[in-house]
PDB file of all heavy atoms in Angstrom:
ATOM      1  N   ALA A  41      39.446  37.714 -42.520  1.00  0.00           N
ATOM      2  CA  ALA A  41      39.774  37.071 -41.252  1.00  0.00           C
ATOM      3  C   ALA A  41      40.640  37.997 -40.419  1.00  0.00           C
ATOM      4  O   ALA A  41      41.337  38.860 -40.955  1.00  0.00           O
ATOM      5  CB  ALA A  41      40.509  35.760 -41.504  1.00  0.00           C
ATOM      6  N   THR A  42      40.555  37.817 -39.128  1.00  0.00           N
ATOM      7  CA  THR A  42      41.413  38.564 -38.208  1.00  0.00           C
ATOM      8  C   THR A  42      42.715  37.791 -38.051  1.00  0.00           C
ATOM      9  O   THR A  42      42.687  36.649 -37.596  1.00  0.00           O
ATOM     10  CB  THR A  42      40.726  38.689 -36.838  1.00  0.00           C
ATOM     11  OG1 THR A  42      39.460  39.321 -37.023  1.00  0.00           O
ATOM     12  CG2 THR A  42      41.569  39.488 -35.873  1.00  0.00           C
ATOM     13  N   PRO A  43      43.830  38.377 -38.428  1.00  0.00           N
ATOM     14  CA  PRO A  43      45.081  37.618 -38.341  1.00  0.00           C
ATOM     15  C   PRO A  43      45.468  37.314 -36.893  1.00  0.00           C
ATOM     16  O   PRO A  43      45.158  38.088 -35.986  1.00  0.00           O
ATOM     17  CB  PRO A  43      46.107  38.531 -39.011  1.00  0.00           C
ATOM     18  CG  PRO A  43      45.502  39.887 -39.007  1.00  0.00           C
ATOM     19  CD  PRO A  43      44.017  39.714 -38.980  1.00  0.00           C
ATOM     20  N   LEU A  44      46.125  36.202 -36.707  1.00  0.00           N
ATOM     21  CA  LEU A  44      46.566  35.812 -35.373  1.00  0.00           C
ATOM     22  C   LEU A  44      48.076  35.940 -35.290  1.00  0.00           C
ATOM     23  O   LEU A  44      48.779  35.578 -36.236  1.00  0.00           O
ATOM     24  CB  LEU A  44      46.195  34.346 -35.110  1.00  0.00           C
ATOM     25  CG  LEU A  44      44.723  33.990 -35.064  1.00  0.00           C
ATOM     26  CD1 LEU A  44      44.550  32.477 -34.978  1.00  0.00           C
ATOM     27  CD2 LEU A  44      44.069  34.648 -33.864  1.00  0.00           C
ATOM     28  N   PRO A  45      48.568  36.429 -34.172  1.00  0.00           N
ATOM     29  CA  PRO A  45      50.024  36.451 -34.005  1.00  0.00           C
ATOM     30  C   PRO A  45      50.560  35.047 -33.751  1.00  0.00           C
ATOM     31  O   PRO A  45      49.797  34.150 -33.387  1.00  0.00           O
ATOM     32  CB  PRO A  45      50.227  37.345 -32.783  1.00  0.00           C
ATOM     33  CG  PRO A  45      48.931  37.367 -32.079  1.00  0.00           C
ATOM     34  CD  PRO A  45      47.859  37.027 -33.058  1.00  0.00           C
ATOM     35  N   GLN A  46      51.839  34.922 -33.929  1.00  0.00           N
ATOM     36  CA  GLN A  46      52.544  33.657 -33.654  1.00  0.00           C
ATOM     37  C   GLN A  46      51.878  32.483 -34.328  1.00  0.00           C
ATOM     38  O   GLN A  46      51.608  31.465 -33.703  1.00  0.00           O
ATOM     39  CB  GLN A  46      52.556  33.352 -32.156  1.00  0.00           C
ATOM     40  CG  GLN A  46      53.233  34.389 -31.323  1.00  0.00           C
ATOM     41  CD  GLN A  46      52.834  34.217 -29.893  1.00  0.00           C
ATOM     42  OE1 GLN A  46      52.922  33.136 -29.358  1.00  0.00           O
ATOM     43  NE2 GLN A  46      52.368  35.285 -29.280  1.00  0.00           N
ATOM     44  N   THR A  47      51.607  32.651 -35.568  1.00  0.00           N
ATOM     45  CA  THR A  47      50.862  31.634 -36.266  1.00  0.00           C
ATOM     46  C   THR A  47      51.538  31.368 -37.597  1.00  0.00           C
ATOM     47  O   THR A  47      52.010  32.313 -38.239  1.00  0.00           O
ATOM     48  CB  THR A  47      49.427  32.135 -36.498  1.00  0.00           C
ATOM     49  OG1 THR A  47      48.853  32.401 -35.237  1.00  0.00           O
ATOM     50  CG2 THR A  47      48.578  31.131 -37.221  1.00  0.00           C
ATOM     51  N   ALA A  49      52.119  30.846 -41.499  1.00  0.00           N
ATOM     52  CA  ALA A  49      51.538  31.677 -42.560  1.00  0.00           C
ATOM     53  C   ALA A  49      50.283  31.052 -43.153  1.00  0.00           C
ATOM     54  O   ALA A  49      49.409  31.755 -43.657  1.00  0.00           O
ATOM     55  CB  ALA A  49      52.577  31.897 -43.655  1.00  0.00           C
ATOM     56  N   VAL A  54      41.220  34.216 -37.967  1.00  0.00           N
ATOM     57  CA  VAL A  54      39.970  33.654 -37.461  1.00  0.00           C
ATOM     58  C   VAL A  54      38.786  34.483 -37.970  1.00  0.00           C
ATOM     59  O   VAL A  54      38.904  35.689 -38.158  1.00  0.00           O
ATOM     60  CB  VAL A  54      39.946  33.601 -35.917  1.00  0.00           C
ATOM     61  CG1 VAL A  54      40.807  32.477 -35.400  1.00  0.00           C
ATOM     62  CG2 VAL A  54      40.380  34.928 -35.316  1.00  0.00           C
ATOM     63  N   ILE A  55      37.680  33.813 -38.184  1.00  0.00           N
ATOM     64  CA  ILE A  55      36.449  34.525 -38.546  1.00  0.00           C
ATOM     65  C   ILE A  55      35.347  34.141 -37.565  1.00  0.00           C
ATOM     66  O   ILE A  55      35.485  33.181 -36.797  1.00  0.00           O
ATOM     67  CB  ILE A  55      35.984  34.209 -39.984  1.00  0.00           C
ATOM     68  CG1 ILE A  55      35.621  32.731 -40.118  1.00  0.00           C
ATOM     69  CG2 ILE A  55      37.040  34.613 -41.013  1.00  0.00           C
ATOM     70  CD1 ILE A  55      34.807  32.428 -41.365  1.00  0.00           C
ATOM     71  N   ASN A  56      34.279  34.911 -37.604  1.00  0.00           N
ATOM     72  CA  ASN A  56      33.122  34.670 -36.749  1.00  0.00           C
ATOM     73  C   ASN A  56      32.137  33.772 -37.483  1.00  0.00           C
ATOM     74  O   ASN A  56      31.547  34.169 -38.471  1.00  0.00           O
ATOM     75  CB  ASN A  56      32.488  36.040 -36.422  1.00  0.00           C
ATOM     76  CG  ASN A  56      31.090  35.918 -35.856  1.00  0.00           C
ATOM     77  OD1 ASN A  56      30.704  34.871 -35.342  1.00  0.00           O
ATOM     78  ND2 ASN A  56      30.333  36.995 -35.952  1.00  0.00           N
ATOM     79  N   GLY A  59      28.997  33.225 -34.023  1.00  0.00           N
ATOM     80  CA  GLY A  59      29.324  33.282 -32.604  1.00  0.00           C
ATOM     81  C   GLY A  59      30.519  32.444 -32.201  1.00  0.00           C
ATOM     82  O   GLY A  59      31.043  32.614 -31.117  1.00  0.00           O
ATOM     83  N   VAL A  61      34.505  31.177 -32.876  1.00  0.00           N
ATOM     84  CA  VAL A  61      35.719  31.682 -33.505  1.00  0.00           C
ATOM     85  C   VAL A  61      36.322  30.549 -34.330  1.00  0.00           C
ATOM     86  O   VAL A  61      36.680  29.503 -33.790  1.00  0.00           O
ATOM     87  CB  VAL A  61      36.708  32.184 -32.437  1.00  0.00           C
ATOM     88  CG1 VAL A  61      38.010  32.596 -33.082  1.00  0.00           C
ATOM     89  CG2 VAL A  61      36.098  33.346 -31.671  1.00  0.00           C
ATOM     90  N   PRO A  63      39.134  29.198 -36.989  1.00  0.00           N
ATOM     91  CA  PRO A  63      40.403  29.455 -37.675  1.00  0.00           C
ATOM     92  C   PRO A  63      40.292  29.076 -39.154  1.00  0.00           C
ATOM     93  O   PRO A  63      39.602  28.116 -39.508  1.00  0.00           O
ATOM     94  CB  PRO A  63      41.388  28.546 -36.945  1.00  0.00           C
ATOM     95  CG  PRO A  63      40.569  27.471 -36.341  1.00  0.00           C
ATOM     96  CD  PRO A  63      39.195  28.031 -36.112  1.00  0.00           C
ATOM     97  N   GLN A  92      37.383  19.875 -33.148  1.00  0.00           N
ATOM     98  CA  GLN A  92      37.518  21.268 -33.577  1.00  0.00           C
ATOM     99  C   GLN A  92      36.887  21.506 -34.945  1.00  0.00           C
ATOM    100  O   GLN A  92      36.803  20.611 -35.773  1.00  0.00           O
ATOM    101  CB  GLN A  92      39.003  21.633 -33.637  1.00  0.00           C
ATOM    102  CG  GLN A  92      39.664  21.546 -32.261  1.00  0.00           C
ATOM    103  CD  GLN A  92      41.063  22.117 -32.275  1.00  0.00           C
ATOM    104  OE1 GLN A  92      41.860  21.775 -33.127  1.00  0.00           O
ATOM    105  NE2 GLN A  92      41.349  22.980 -31.316  1.00  0.00           N
ATOM    106  N   MET A  93      36.457  22.737 -35.141  1.00  0.00           N
ATOM    107  CA  MET A  93      35.934  23.153 -36.438  1.00  0.00           C
ATOM    108  C   MET A  93      36.962  24.065 -37.084  1.00  0.00           C
ATOM    109  O   MET A  93      37.504  24.957 -36.427  1.00  0.00           O
ATOM    110  CB  MET A  93      34.630  23.924 -36.259  1.00  0.00           C
ATOM    111  CG  MET A  93      33.562  23.162 -35.519  1.00  0.00           C
ATOM    112  SD  MET A  93      32.641  22.100 -36.615  1.00  0.00           S
ATOM    113  CE  MET A  93      31.465  23.275 -37.227  1.00  0.00           C
ATOM    114  N   PRO A 148      48.162  23.306 -37.383  1.00  0.00           N
ATOM    115  CA  PRO A 148      49.515  23.162 -36.851  1.00  0.00           C
ATOM    116  C   PRO A 148      49.448  22.468 -35.494  1.00  0.00           C
ATOM    117  O   PRO A 148      48.592  22.788 -34.672  1.00  0.00           O
ATOM    118  CB  PRO A 148      49.999  24.606 -36.701  1.00  0.00           C
ATOM    119  CG  PRO A 148      48.765  25.426 -36.646  1.00  0.00           C
ATOM    120  CD  PRO A 148      47.730  24.715 -37.448  1.00  0.00           C
ATOM    121  N   GLU A 153      54.873  23.752 -33.059  1.00  0.00           N
ATOM    122  CA  GLU A 153      55.063  25.137 -32.673  1.00  0.00           C
ATOM    123  C   GLU A 153      56.170  25.258 -31.628  1.00  0.00           C
ATOM    124  O   GLU A 153      56.952  26.182 -31.635  1.00  0.00           O
ATOM    125  CB  GLU A 153      53.751  25.698 -32.110  1.00  0.00           C
ATOM    126  CG  GLU A 153      53.768  27.180 -31.929  1.00  0.00           C
ATOM    127  CD  GLU A 153      53.532  27.595 -30.511  1.00  0.00           C
ATOM    128  OE1 GLU A 153      53.376  26.724 -29.650  1.00  0.00           O
ATOM    129  OE2 GLU A 153      53.537  28.794 -30.261  1.00  0.00           O
TER     130      GLU A 153
ATOM    131  N   GLU B 370      25.028  36.294 -27.688  1.00  0.00           N
ATOM    132  CA  GLU B 370      24.707  36.598 -29.083  1.00  0.00           C
ATOM    133  C   GLU B 370      23.873  37.864 -29.172  1.00  0.00           C
ATOM    134  O   GLU B 370      24.049  38.676 -30.073  1.00  0.00           O
ATOM    135  CB  GLU B 370      23.932  35.435 -29.715  1.00  0.00           C
ATOM    136  CG  GLU B 370      24.716  34.140 -29.818  1.00  0.00           C
ATOM    137  CD  GLU B 370      25.989  34.329 -30.623  1.00  0.00           C
ATOM    138  OE1 GLU B 370      25.908  34.806 -31.762  1.00  0.00           O
ATOM    139  OE2 GLU B 370      27.069  34.019 -30.083  1.00  0.00           O
ATOM    140  N   GLN B 613      44.588  46.548 -36.915  1.00  0.00           N
ATOM    141  CA  GLN B 613      43.854  45.480 -36.242  1.00  0.00           C
ATOM    142  C   GLN B 613      43.147  46.053 -35.023  1.00  0.00           C
ATOM    143  O   GLN B 613      43.657  46.981 -34.396  1.00  0.00           O
ATOM    144  CB  GLN B 613      44.803  44.368 -35.797  1.00  0.00           C
ATOM    145  CG  GLN B 613      45.500  43.659 -36.932  1.00  0.00           C
ATOM    146  CD  GLN B 613      44.507  42.987 -37.857  1.00  0.00           C
ATOM    147  OE1 GLN B 613      43.504  42.456 -37.413  1.00  0.00           O
ATOM    148  NE2 GLN B 613      44.781  43.034 -39.157  1.00  0.00           N
ATOM    149  N   LEU B 659      53.090  41.500 -30.901  1.00  0.00           N
ATOM    150  CA  LEU B 659      52.220  40.552 -31.590  1.00  0.00           C
ATOM    151  C   LEU B 659      52.678  40.287 -33.015  1.00  0.00           C
ATOM    152  O   LEU B 659      52.046  39.524 -33.740  1.00  0.00           O
ATOM    153  CB  LEU B 659      50.771  41.063 -31.584  1.00  0.00           C
ATOM    154  CG  LEU B 659      50.139  41.188 -30.205  1.00  0.00           C
ATOM    155  CD1 LEU B 659      48.686  41.604 -30.318  1.00  0.00           C
ATOM    156  CD2 LEU B 659      50.254  39.882 -29.425  1.00  0.00           C
ATOM    157  N   LYS B 700      35.190  34.696 -26.262  1.00  0.00           N
ATOM    158  CA  LYS B 700      35.090  33.479 -27.066  1.00  0.00           C
ATOM    159  C   LYS B 700      36.437  32.782 -26.995  1.00  0.00           C
ATOM    160  O   LYS B 700      37.479  33.406 -27.137  1.00  0.00           O
ATOM    161  CB  LYS B 700      34.791  33.836 -28.527  1.00  0.00           C
ATOM    162  CG  LYS B 700      33.488  34.568 -28.718  1.00  0.00           C
ATOM    163  CD  LYS B 700      32.337  33.617 -28.608  1.00  0.00           C
ATOM    164  CE  LYS B 700      31.024  34.364 -28.781  1.00  0.00           C
ATOM    165  NZ  LYS B 700      29.895  33.448 -28.679  1.00  0.00           N
ATOM    166  N   GLU B 703      40.890  28.509 -28.001  1.00  0.00           N
ATOM    167  CA  GLU B 703      41.370  27.135 -27.869  1.00  0.00           C
ATOM    168  C   GLU B 703      40.380  26.113 -28.403  1.00  0.00           C
ATOM    169  O   GLU B 703      40.775  25.052 -28.848  1.00  0.00           O
ATOM    170  CB  GLU B 703      41.655  26.809 -26.393  1.00  0.00           C
ATOM    171  CG  GLU B 703      42.945  27.385 -25.857  1.00  0.00           C
ATOM    172  CD  GLU B 703      42.703  28.727 -25.198  1.00  0.00           C
ATOM    173  OE1 GLU B 703      41.687  29.372 -25.532  1.00  0.00           O
ATOM    174  OE2 GLU B 703      43.505  29.126 -24.355  1.00  0.00           O
ATOM    175  N   SER B 704      39.090  26.449 -28.331  1.00  0.00           N
ATOM    176  CA  SER B 704      38.137  25.396 -28.684  1.00  0.00           C
ATOM    177  C   SER B 704      38.305  24.960 -30.133  1.00  0.00           C
ATOM    178  O   SER B 704      38.156  23.791 -30.444  1.00  0.00           O
ATOM    179  CB  SER B 704      36.706  25.850 -28.396  1.00  0.00           C
ATOM    180  OG  SER B 704      36.387  26.971 -29.174  1.00  0.00           O
ATOM    181  N   ASN B 705      38.636  25.904 -31.011  1.00  0.00           N
ATOM    182  CA  ASN B 705      38.849  25.488 -32.392  1.00  0.00           C
ATOM    183  C   ASN B 705      40.294  25.647 -32.845  1.00  0.00           C
ATOM    184  O   ASN B 705      40.644  25.206 -33.929  1.00  0.00           O
ATOM    185  CB  ASN B 705      37.952  26.297 -33.334  1.00  0.00           C
ATOM    186  CG  ASN B 705      36.525  25.811 -33.285  1.00  0.00           C
ATOM    187  OD1 ASN B 705      36.275  24.625 -33.082  1.00  0.00           O
ATOM    188  ND2 ASN B 705      35.591  26.721 -33.442  1.00  0.00           N
ATOM    189  N   TYR B 706      41.099  26.302 -32.027  1.00  0.00           N
ATOM    190  CA  TYR B 706      42.476  26.467 -32.445  1.00  0.00           C
ATOM    191  C   TYR B 706      43.382  26.084 -31.296  1.00  0.00           C
ATOM    192  O   TYR B 706      43.446  24.922 -30.920  1.00  0.00           O
ATOM    193  CB  TYR B 706      42.691  27.908 -32.944  1.00  0.00           C
ATOM    194  CG  TYR B 706      44.015  28.128 -33.628  1.00  0.00           C
ATOM    195  CD1 TYR B 706      44.389  27.343 -34.706  1.00  0.00           C
ATOM    196  CD2 TYR B 706      44.886  29.108 -33.185  1.00  0.00           C
ATOM    197  CE1 TYR B 706      45.615  27.527 -35.324  1.00  0.00           C
ATOM    198  CE2 TYR B 706      46.112  29.313 -33.818  1.00  0.00           C
ATOM    199  CZ  TYR B 706      46.476  28.517 -34.872  1.00  0.00           C
ATOM    200  OH  TYR B 706      47.667  28.698 -35.470  1.00  0.00           O
ATOM    201  N   ARG B 707      44.052  27.015 -30.706  1.00  0.00           N
ATOM    202  CA  ARG B 707      44.930  26.707 -29.581  1.00  0.00           C
ATOM    203  C   ARG B 707      45.289  27.999 -28.890  1.00  0.00           C
ATOM    204  O   ARG B 707      44.980  29.079 -29.376  1.00  0.00           O
ATOM    205  CB  ARG B 707      46.193  26.003 -30.075  1.00  0.00           C
ATOM    206  CG  ARG B 707      46.928  26.870 -31.055  1.00  0.00           C
ATOM    207  CD  ARG B 707      48.226  26.277 -31.476  1.00  0.00           C
ATOM    208  NE  ARG B 707      48.829  27.195 -32.442  1.00  0.00           N
ATOM    209  CZ  ARG B 707      49.998  26.999 -32.996  1.00  0.00           C
ATOM    210  NH1 ARG B 707      50.682  25.915 -32.709  1.00  0.00           N
ATOM    211  NH2 ARG B 707      50.481  27.869 -33.838  1.00  0.00           N
ATOM    212  N   ILE B 709      47.401  31.090 -27.708  1.00  0.00           N
ATOM    213  CA  ILE B 709      48.463  31.908 -28.295  1.00  0.00           C
ATOM    214  C   ILE B 709      49.020  32.794 -27.201  1.00  0.00           C
ATOM    215  O   ILE B 709      48.265  33.486 -26.504  1.00  0.00           O
ATOM    216  CB  ILE B 709      47.908  32.777 -29.443  1.00  0.00           C
ATOM    217  CG1 ILE B 709      47.427  31.880 -30.579  1.00  0.00           C
ATOM    218  CG2 ILE B 709      48.974  33.754 -29.933  1.00  0.00           C
ATOM    219  CD1 ILE B 709      46.737  32.631 -31.687  1.00  0.00           C
ATOM    220  N   VAL B 710      50.318  32.775 -27.027  1.00  0.00           N
ATOM    221  CA  VAL B 710      50.934  33.589 -25.988  1.00  0.00           C
ATOM    222  C   VAL B 710      50.669  35.064 -26.291  1.00  0.00           C
ATOM    223  O   VAL B 710      50.873  35.512 -27.417  1.00  0.00           O
ATOM    224  CB  VAL B 710      52.449  33.325 -25.922  1.00  0.00           C
ATOM    225  CG1 VAL B 710      53.091  34.207 -24.857  1.00  0.00           C
ATOM    226  CG2 VAL B 710      52.715  31.861 -25.623  1.00  0.00           C
ATOM    227  N   ILE B 717      33.769  38.911 -30.458  1.00  0.00           N
ATOM    228  CA  ILE B 717      33.194  39.312 -31.734  1.00  0.00           C
ATOM    229  C   ILE B 717      32.653  40.722 -31.583  1.00  0.00           C
ATOM    230  O   ILE B 717      31.883  41.004 -30.655  1.00  0.00           O
ATOM    231  CB  ILE B 717      32.110  38.313 -32.165  1.00  0.00           C
ATOM    232  CG1 ILE B 717      32.806  36.991 -32.477  1.00  0.00           C
ATOM    233  CG2 ILE B 717      31.379  38.828 -33.397  1.00  0.00           C
ATOM    234  CD1 ILE B 717      31.891  35.822 -32.543  1.00  0.00           C
ATOM    235  N   GLY B 721      30.742  42.254 -36.499  1.00  0.00           N
ATOM    236  CA  GLY B 721      30.713  40.826 -36.792  1.00  0.00           C
ATOM    237  C   GLY B 721      32.088  40.219 -36.970  1.00  0.00           C
ATOM    238  O   GLY B 721      32.209  39.016 -37.181  1.00  0.00           O
ATOM    239  N   ARG B 722      33.110  41.051 -36.852  1.00  0.00           N
ATOM    240  CA  ARG B 722      34.448  40.488 -37.011  1.00  0.00           C
ATOM    241  C   ARG B 722      35.029  40.059 -35.678  1.00  0.00           C
ATOM    242  O   ARG B 722      34.635  40.529 -34.621  1.00  0.00           O
ATOM    243  CB  ARG B 722      35.367  41.520 -37.670  1.00  0.00           C
ATOM    244  CG  ARG B 722      35.034  41.731 -39.141  1.00  0.00           C
ATOM    245  CD  ARG B 722      36.156  42.436 -39.863  1.00  0.00           C
ATOM    246  NE  ARG B 722      37.407  41.674 -39.812  1.00  0.00           N
ATOM    247  CZ  ARG B 722      38.511  42.070 -40.453  1.00  0.00           C
ATOM    248  NH1 ARG B 722      38.522  43.180 -41.145  1.00  0.00           N
ATOM    249  NH2 ARG B 722      39.604  41.346 -40.373  1.00  0.00           N
ATOM    250  N   VAL B 723      35.999  39.173 -35.775  1.00  0.00           N
ATOM    251  CA  VAL B 723      36.643  38.691 -34.560  1.00  0.00           C
ATOM    252  C   VAL B 723      37.721  39.674 -34.140  1.00  0.00           C
ATOM    253  O   VAL B 723      38.481  40.150 -34.982  1.00  0.00           O
ATOM    254  CB  VAL B 723      37.269  37.306 -34.800  1.00  0.00           C
ATOM    255  CG1 VAL B 723      38.016  36.829 -33.569  1.00  0.00           C
ATOM    256  CG2 VAL B 723      36.201  36.312 -35.205  1.00  0.00           C
ATOM    257  N   LEU B 725      40.830  40.165 -31.115  1.00  0.00           N
ATOM    258  CA  LEU B 725      41.572  39.398 -30.115  1.00  0.00           C
ATOM    259  C   LEU B 725      41.635  40.176 -28.807  1.00  0.00           C
ATOM    260  O   LEU B 725      41.723  41.409 -28.812  1.00  0.00           O
ATOM    261  CB  LEU B 725      42.986  39.115 -30.623  1.00  0.00           C
ATOM    262  CG  LEU B 725      43.032  38.360 -31.952  1.00  0.00           C
ATOM    263  CD1 LEU B 725      44.470  38.162 -32.406  1.00  0.00           C
ATOM    264  CD2 LEU B 725      42.322  37.010 -31.827  1.00  0.00           C
ATOM    265  N   ALA B 742      56.591  36.367 -32.060  1.00  0.00           N
ATOM    266  CA  ALA B 742      55.545  36.125 -33.037  1.00  0.00           C
ATOM    267  C   ALA B 742      56.132  35.928 -34.422  1.00  0.00           C
ATOM    268  O   ALA B 742      55.768  35.026 -35.148  1.00  0.00           O
ATOM    269  CB  ALA B 742      54.590  37.306 -33.045  1.00  0.00           C
ATOM    270  N   ALA B 746      55.897  32.851 -36.927  1.00  0.00           N
ATOM    271  CA  ALA B 746      55.068  33.043 -38.104  1.00  0.00           C
ATOM    272  C   ALA B 746      55.786  32.621 -39.374  1.00  0.00           C
ATOM    273  O   ALA B 746      55.167  32.348 -40.392  1.00  0.00           O
ATOM    274  CB  ALA B 746      54.642  34.503 -38.210  1.00  0.00           C
TER     275      ALA B 746
END
Side-chain angles (χ1 to χ4, degrees):
Chain A
T42 303
L44 296 173
Q46 300 163 51
T47 300
V54 284
I55 64 164
N56 165 21
V61 175
Q92 297 189 310
M93 303 275 276
E153 191 239 1
Chain B
E370 296 302 306
Q613 296 299 323
L659 296 184
K700 299 284 179 180
E703 283 94 337
S704 62
N705 283 328
Y706 190 55
R707 59 175 179 178
I709 295 174
V710 179
I717 293 164
R722 288 196 60 176
V723 177
L725 302 178

